Every structure is written in structure tokens, then in C-alpha cells.
Amino acid sequence: MLRVLFVGDVYGKPGRRVLASHLPTIRSQFHFVIVNGENAAGGFGLNRESFNIITRAGADCITLGNHAWHHKEVFDLLPDPRLIRPLNLPLGTPGNGFRRFDVIGDTGRSERLTVVNALGRVFMEPSGNPFTALDELLTRPDLGAVFLDFHAEATSEKAAMGQFLAGRAAAVIGTHTHVATADTRILPGGTAFQTDAGFTGPMDSVIGADPSGPVQRFTTELPHRFGVKEGAAELNGVIVHIQDGRAVQIERYHYEEEGL
Ligand SMILES: [Fe+2]
Ligand SMILES: [Fe+2]
């Protein structure tokens, strides 16, 4: 059995801080840790410093999303086997949309885990069809348990992906909306599902941003500068137990900083 922790979008300095302080204290409970790092550097994208902080904290791999290309440094990082960019991008896009890992589980045996990152298309920038991309990926041999981070805006698109992969993937976990949903379940055939894992970043924010910018923008309908909210942060994710390629358990994980 594999115990896998998935941590939702790490956002800016508060997100990096709570991950770096908390993940090491729980890391030994898991065989494998996946962290979405698409907002790690200042709220947009991933740079070398944030890559190093996330991996040193205990992440075995980092997934991305619609902000994947925000920092040029990400192109130097893409050859690293721990970094996974969205799958459904044009042929020739650098990096990998999925990676196979051999993980030592609680039996002491090595078990294959394939981590995939894909982008949704509803209310998002154009990308390839994530459903057909996953269908094609699943024809490949030796994937073992497939764990998808589906980075999408629309609840319906994420729910449809869960149903589409039910019994074919071990987990379909949504990211991007930064708010954890309460629909944690195992779909028929052993697919762990949650519409959104929630994010890892500042509380009392507007999905990570200091409220002043977004509130001004909504009230005046003029553009405003967005900054990362300071102060106490939360960490959100899910824990999935996988046996023989199928999920047998999923639960939400939530931690909040205190005294900041
Ligand atoms: Fe995103
Ligand atoms: Fe995000």
C-alpha cells in the first residue's frame, strides 16, 4: 500500500513558509508527496528558489498549471524528473506532462506511480483536450497507479474528468480554484476524487491575493495591482491510500499556522 500526500497550490511566500515548516513534521507518514507549485513564486509560477524550497521540504514531485511559464527559470528546471508540467500542450512543448515513479510502499516492495498534470479548458486559456490526452496517455504500458492533478476552473469539468477516469486512475484531484471542496470520495472502480484540494497560502485573502486589489477591481471595474497577502497561512491537501493501483481511502488534510 502506498500512502500519498497531495498538497494544493503553494502560493507565494506564506505558502512556501507553511510548507517548509509543516511538511517536514508529517513527511514520514507518507511514501510519496506531490505538491502543486504553480503559484509558488510570488503567486505566479515557479522559480529555482521555490523549486528548491518545495523539494527540500519533502516533495517528491511538483506539478504546475496555467501559470507554468511565468518565470523563465522554469525552462531550466523542466529536465528535472521531479517537475511535471501540464500534459495537454502542443507537441514539442519542453518538459513532461507525466512522470513514472517507483515508490517503496509499506510492504517494502517498489510500486509504480505515474503522476500527471492536465489543464481544464472551461473559463481558461486555450489548451488541448484534456480528456482525449488522458485517454491516449492511459494506453501506455507500465503506468501503474495513475495520479492526476487536474488543474481546472469549472467544477463540472473536474467532475466529468473524475467520472471519465473512474476505475482507470487511482486519483483525480482538482487544483486551481484554491478552495477545498467537501466532495471527497472514492469513485466506482477505486478512483479517489475531490473537485479541489484547496491551496497552501495566506488565509484572509482572495485566493491568495491581498483583498484590496481584487475588491477594488470588483467595485471599480478598473485594473488594480494584486499583491500576495501577508500573515498566517494554511496548508490544504488530500491523503490517498493506494493498493494495487486503486485508491482504498481518501481524506482531506488541513493545517493552519498559529500565532502569526
Ligand atoms: Fe491555476
Ligand atoms: Fe493556483
mmCIF file with all atom_site columns, all heavy atoms in Angstrom, residues 48 71-80 83:
data_model
loop_
_atom_site.group_PDB
_atom_site.id
_atom_site.type_symbol
_atom_site.label_atom_id
_atom_site.label_alt_id
_atom_site.label_comp_id
_atom_site.label_asym_id
_atom_site.label_entity_id
_atom_site.label_seq_id
_atom_site.pdbx_PDB_ins_code
_atom_site.Cartn_x
_atom_site.Cartn_y
_atom_site.Cartn_z
_atom_site.occupancy
_atom_site.B_iso_or_equiv
_atom_site.pdbx_formal_charge
_atom_site.auth_seq_id
_atom_site.auth_comp_id
_atom_site.auth_asym_id
_atom_site.auth_atom_id
_atom_site.pdbx_PDB_model_num
ATOM 1   N N   . ARG A 1 48 ? 13.575 28.878 -9.427  1.00 0.00 ? 48 ARG A N   1
ATOM 2   C CA  . ARG A 1 48 ? 14.507 27.913 -8.841  1.00 0.00 ? 48 ARG A CA  1
ATOM 3   C C   . ARG A 1 48 ? 14.430 27.911 -7.312  1.00 0.00 ? 48 ARG A C   1
ATOM 4   O O   . ARG A 1 48 ? 14.429 26.849 -6.689  1.00 0.00 ? 48 ARG A O   1
ATOM 5   C CB  . ARG A 1 48 ? 15.946 28.216 -9.297  1.00 0.00 ? 48 ARG A CB  1
ATOM 6   C CG  . ARG A 1 48 ? 16.950 27.169 -8.856  1.00 0.00 ? 48 ARG A CG  1
ATOM 7   C CD  . ARG A 1 48 ? 18.321 27.446 -9.428  1.00 0.00 ? 48 ARG A CD  1
ATOM 8   N NE  . ARG A 1 48 ? 18.360 27.348 -10.885 1.00 0.00 ? 48 ARG A NE  1
ATOM 9   C CZ  . ARG A 1 48 ? 18.445 26.208 -11.560 1.00 0.00 ? 48 ARG A CZ  1
ATOM 10  N NH1 . ARG A 1 48 ? 18.485 25.066 -10.908 1.00 0.00 ? 48 ARG A NH1 1
ATOM 11  N NH2 . ARG A 1 48 ? 18.479 26.215 -12.873 1.00 0.00 ? 48 ARG A NH2 1
ATOM 12  N N   . HIS A 1 71 ? 7.784  32.304 -14.963 1.00 0.00 ? 71 HIS A N   1
ATOM 13  C CA  . HIS A 1 71 ? 9.197  32.623 -14.712 1.00 0.00 ? 71 HIS A CA  1
ATOM 14  C C   . HIS A 1 71 ? 10.078 31.860 -15.699 1.00 0.00 ? 71 HIS A C   1
ATOM 15  O O   . HIS A 1 71 ? 9.934  30.648 -15.837 1.00 0.00 ? 71 HIS A O   1
ATOM 16  C CB  . HIS A 1 71 ? 9.600  32.238 -13.280 1.00 0.00 ? 71 HIS A CB  1
ATOM 17  C CG  . HIS A 1 71 ? 8.923  33.076 -12.241 1.00 0.00 ? 71 HIS A CG  1
ATOM 18  N ND1 . HIS A 1 71 ? 9.385  34.314 -11.868 1.00 0.00 ? 71 HIS A ND1 1
ATOM 19  C CD2 . HIS A 1 71 ? 7.796  32.858 -11.519 1.00 0.00 ? 71 HIS A CD2 1
ATOM 20  C CE1 . HIS A 1 71 ? 8.573  34.824 -10.941 1.00 0.00 ? 71 HIS A CE1 1
ATOM 21  N NE2 . HIS A 1 71 ? 7.603  33.955 -10.718 1.00 0.00 ? 71 HIS A NE2 1
ATOM 22  N N   . LYS A 1 72 ? 10.996 32.583 -16.328 1.00 0.00 ? 72 LYS A N   1
ATOM 23  C CA  . LYS A 1 72 ? 11.890 31.955 -17.313 1.00 0.00 ? 72 LYS A CA  1
ATOM 24  C C   . LYS A 1 72 ? 12.674 30.794 -16.730 1.00 0.00 ? 72 LYS A C   1
ATOM 25  O O   . LYS A 1 72 ? 12.998 29.839 -17.425 1.00 0.00 ? 72 LYS A O   1
ATOM 26  C CB  . LYS A 1 72 ? 12.893 33.006 -17.819 1.00 0.00 ? 72 LYS A CB  1
ATOM 27  C CG  . LYS A 1 72 ? 12.487 33.643 -19.130 1.00 0.00 ? 72 LYS A CG  1
ATOM 28  C CD  . LYS A 1 72 ? 13.700 34.333 -19.730 1.00 0.00 ? 72 LYS A CD  1
ATOM 29  C CE  . LYS A 1 72 ? 13.295 35.639 -20.368 1.00 0.00 ? 72 LYS A CE  1
ATOM 30  N NZ  . LYS A 1 72 ? 14.300 36.672 -20.288 1.00 0.00 ? 72 LYS A NZ  1
ATOM 31  N N   . GLU A 1 73 ? 13.004 30.894 -15.452 1.00 0.00 ? 73 GLU A N   1
ATOM 32  C CA  . GLU A 1 73 ? 13.819 29.856 -14.806 1.00 0.00 ? 73 GLU A CA  1
ATOM 33  C C   . GLU A 1 73 ? 13.181 28.475 -14.899 1.00 0.00 ? 73 GLU A C   1
ATOM 34  O O   . GLU A 1 73 ? 13.872 27.468 -14.779 1.00 0.00 ? 73 GLU A O   1
ATOM 35  C CB  . GLU A 1 73 ? 14.027 30.201 -13.322 1.00 0.00 ? 73 GLU A CB  1
ATOM 36  C CG  . GLU A 1 73 ? 15.079 31.262 -13.093 1.00 0.00 ? 73 GLU A CG  1
ATOM 37  C CD  . GLU A 1 73 ? 15.170 31.675 -11.622 1.00 0.00 ? 73 GLU A CD  1
ATOM 38  O OE1 . GLU A 1 73 ? 14.751 30.915 -10.737 1.00 0.00 ? 73 GLU A OE1 1
ATOM 39  O OE2 . GLU A 1 73 ? 15.660 32.789 -11.388 1.00 0.00 ? 73 GLU A OE2 1
ATOM 40  N N   . VAL A 1 74 ? 11.869 28.424 -15.098 1.00 0.00 ? 74 VAL A N   1
ATOM 41  C CA  . VAL A 1 74 ? 11.201 27.123 -15.124 1.00 0.00 ? 74 VAL A CA  1
ATOM 42  C C   . VAL A 1 74 ? 11.731 26.264 -16.281 1.00 0.00 ? 74 VAL A C   1
ATOM 43  O O   . VAL A 1 74 ? 11.774 25.043 -16.195 1.00 0.00 ? 74 VAL A O   1
ATOM 44  C CB  . VAL A 1 74 ? 9.659  27.278 -15.170 1.00 0.00 ? 74 VAL A CB  1
ATOM 45  C CG1 . VAL A 1 74 ? 9.149  27.566 -16.571 1.00 0.00 ? 74 VAL A CG1 1
ATOM 46  C CG2 . VAL A 1 74 ? 8.977  26.050 -14.589 1.00 0.00 ? 74 VAL A CG2 1
ATOM 47  N N   . PHE A 1 75 ? 12.181 26.935 -17.359 1.00 0.00 ? 75 PHE A N   1
ATOM 48  C CA  . PHE A 1 75 ? 12.678 26.163 -18.507 1.00 0.00 ? 75 PHE A CA  1
ATOM 49  C C   . PHE A 1 75 ? 13.972 25.425 -18.169 1.00 0.00 ? 75 PHE A C   1
ATOM 50  O O   . PHE A 1 75 ? 14.239 24.360 -18.706 1.00 0.00 ? 75 PHE A O   1
ATOM 51  C CB  . PHE A 1 75 ? 12.852 27.079 -19.729 1.00 0.00 ? 75 PHE A CB  1
ATOM 52  C CG  . PHE A 1 75 ? 11.529 27.561 -20.253 1.00 0.00 ? 75 PHE A CG  1
ATOM 53  C CD1 . PHE A 1 75 ? 11.055 28.825 -19.931 1.00 0.00 ? 75 PHE A CD1 1
ATOM 54  C CD2 . PHE A 1 75 ? 10.724 26.727 -21.023 1.00 0.00 ? 75 PHE A CD2 1
ATOM 55  C CE1 . PHE A 1 75 ? 9.816  29.261 -20.387 1.00 0.00 ? 75 PHE A CE1 1
ATOM 56  C CE2 . PHE A 1 75 ? 9.485  27.152 -21.483 1.00 0.00 ? 75 PHE A CE2 1
ATOM 57  C CZ  . PHE A 1 75 ? 9.030  28.423 -21.166 1.00 0.00 ? 75 PHE A CZ  1
ATOM 58  N N   . ASP A 1 76 ? 14.780 25.995 -17.263 1.00 0.00 ? 76 ASP A N   1
ATOM 59  C CA  . ASP A 1 76 ? 15.991 25.295 -16.814 1.00 0.00 ? 76 ASP A CA  1
ATOM 60  C C   . ASP A 1 76 ? 15.632 24.145 -15.872 1.00 0.00 ? 76 ASP A C   1
ATOM 61  O O   . ASP A 1 76 ? 16.393 23.191 -15.733 1.00 0.00 ? 76 ASP A O   1
ATOM 62  C CB  . ASP A 1 76 ? 16.923 26.257 -16.056 1.00 0.00 ? 76 ASP A CB  1
ATOM 63  C CG  . ASP A 1 76 ? 17.344 27.429 -16.920 1.00 0.00 ? 76 ASP A CG  1
ATOM 64  O OD1 . ASP A 1 76 ? 17.446 27.232 -18.152 1.00 0.00 ? 76 ASP A OD1 1
ATOM 65  O OD2 . ASP A 1 76 ? 17.554 28.536 -16.369 1.00 0.00 ? 76 ASP A OD2 1
ATOM 66  N N   . LEU A 1 77 ? 14.495 24.268 -15.204 1.00 0.00 ? 77 LEU A N   1
ATOM 67  C CA  . LEU A 1 77 ? 14.100 23.256 -14.218 1.00 0.00 ? 77 LEU A CA  1
ATOM 68  C C   . LEU A 1 77 ? 13.384 22.073 -14.862 1.00 0.00 ? 77 LEU A C   1
ATOM 69  O O   . LEU A 1 77 ? 13.357 20.975 -14.311 1.00 0.00 ? 77 LEU A O   1
ATOM 70  C CB  . LEU A 1 77 ? 13.166 23.876 -13.174 1.00 0.00 ? 77 LEU A CB  1
ATOM 71  C CG  . LEU A 1 77 ? 13.748 25.008 -12.326 1.00 0.00 ? 77 LEU A CG  1
ATOM 72  C CD1 . LEU A 1 77 ? 12.639 25.729 -11.557 1.00 0.00 ? 77 LEU A CD1 1
ATOM 73  C CD2 . LEU A 1 77 ? 14.789 24.457 -11.349 1.00 0.00 ? 77 LEU A CD2 1
ATOM 74  N N   . LEU A 1 78 ? 12.778 22.278 -16.048 1.00 0.00 ? 78 LEU A N   1
ATOM 75  C CA  . LEU A 1 78 ? 11.920 21.244 -16.650 1.00 0.00 ? 78 LEU A CA  1
ATOM 76  C C   . LEU A 1 78 ? 12.591 19.883 -16.866 1.00 0.00 ? 78 LEU A C   1
ATOM 77  O O   . LEU A 1 78 ? 11.909 18.860 -16.769 1.00 0.00 ? 78 LEU A O   1
ATOM 78  C CB  . LEU A 1 78 ? 11.329 21.751 -17.974 1.00 0.00 ? 78 LEU A CB  1
ATOM 79  C CG  . LEU A 1 78 ? 10.171 22.733 -17.813 1.00 0.00 ? 78 LEU A CG  1
ATOM 80  C CD1 . LEU A 1 78 ? 9.824  23.349 -19.158 1.00 0.00 ? 78 LEU A CD1 1
ATOM 81  C CD2 . LEU A 1 78 ? 8.940  22.070 -17.208 1.00 0.00 ? 78 LEU A CD2 1
ATOM 82  N N   . PRO A 1 79 ? 13.908 19.833 -17.168 1.00 0.00 ? 79 PRO A N   1
ATOM 83  C CA  . PRO A 1 79 ? 14.514 18.499 -17.309 1.00 0.00 ? 79 PRO A CA  1
ATOM 84  C C   . PRO A 1 79 ? 14.540 17.695 -16.015 1.00 0.00 ? 79 PRO A C   1
ATOM 85  O O   . PRO A 1 79 ? 14.713 16.477 -16.044 1.00 0.00 ? 79 PRO A O   1
ATOM 86  C CB  . PRO A 1 79 ? 15.948 18.816 -17.771 1.00 0.00 ? 79 PRO A CB  1
ATOM 87  C CG  . PRO A 1 79 ? 15.880 20.189 -18.346 1.00 0.00 ? 79 PRO A CG  1
ATOM 88  C CD  . PRO A 1 79 ? 14.834 20.905 -17.545 1.00 0.00 ? 79 PRO A CD  1
ATOM 89  N N   . ASP A 1 80 ? 14.369 18.351 -14.881 1.00 0.00 ? 80 ASP A N   1
ATOM 90  C CA  . ASP A 1 80 ? 14.397 17.633 -13.599 1.00 0.00 ? 80 ASP A CA  1
ATOM 91  C C   . ASP A 1 80 ? 13.239 16.636 -13.548 1.00 0.00 ? 80 ASP A C   1
ATOM 92  O O   . ASP A 1 80 ? 12.087 17.023 -13.772 1.00 0.00 ? 80 ASP A O   1
ATOM 93  C CB  . ASP A 1 80 ? 14.286 18.639 -12.442 1.00 0.00 ? 80 ASP A CB  1
ATOM 94  C CG  . ASP A 1 80 ? 14.608 17.983 -11.098 1.00 0.00 ? 80 ASP A CG  1
ATOM 95  O OD1 . ASP A 1 80 ? 13.866 17.049 -10.689 1.00 0.00 ? 80 ASP A OD1 1
ATOM 96  O OD2 . ASP A 1 80 ? 15.588 18.398 -10.473 1.00 0.00 ? 80 ASP A OD2 1
ATOM 97  N N   . LEU A 1 83 ? 9.792  17.411 -11.846 1.00 0.00 ? 83 LEU A N   1
ATOM 98  C CA  . LEU A 1 83 ? 8.897  18.500 -12.262 1.00 0.00 ? 83 LEU A CA  1
ATOM 99  C C   . LEU A 1 83 ? 7.971  18.047 -13.394 1.00 0.00 ? 83 LEU A C   1
ATOM 100 O O   . LEU A 1 83 ? 8.433  17.469 -14.381 1.00 0.00 ? 83 LEU A O   1
ATOM 101 C CB  . LEU A 1 83 ? 9.724  19.716 -12.697 1.00 0.00 ? 83 LEU A CB  1
ATOM 102 C CG  . LEU A 1 83 ? 8.929  20.992 -12.969 1.00 0.00 ? 83 LEU A CG  1
ATOM 103 C CD1 . LEU A 1 83 ? 8.124  21.423 -11.748 1.00 0.00 ? 83 LEU A CD1 1
ATOM 104 C CD2 . LEU A 1 83 ? 9.860  22.113 -13.393 1.00 0.00 ? 83 LEU A CD2 1
#
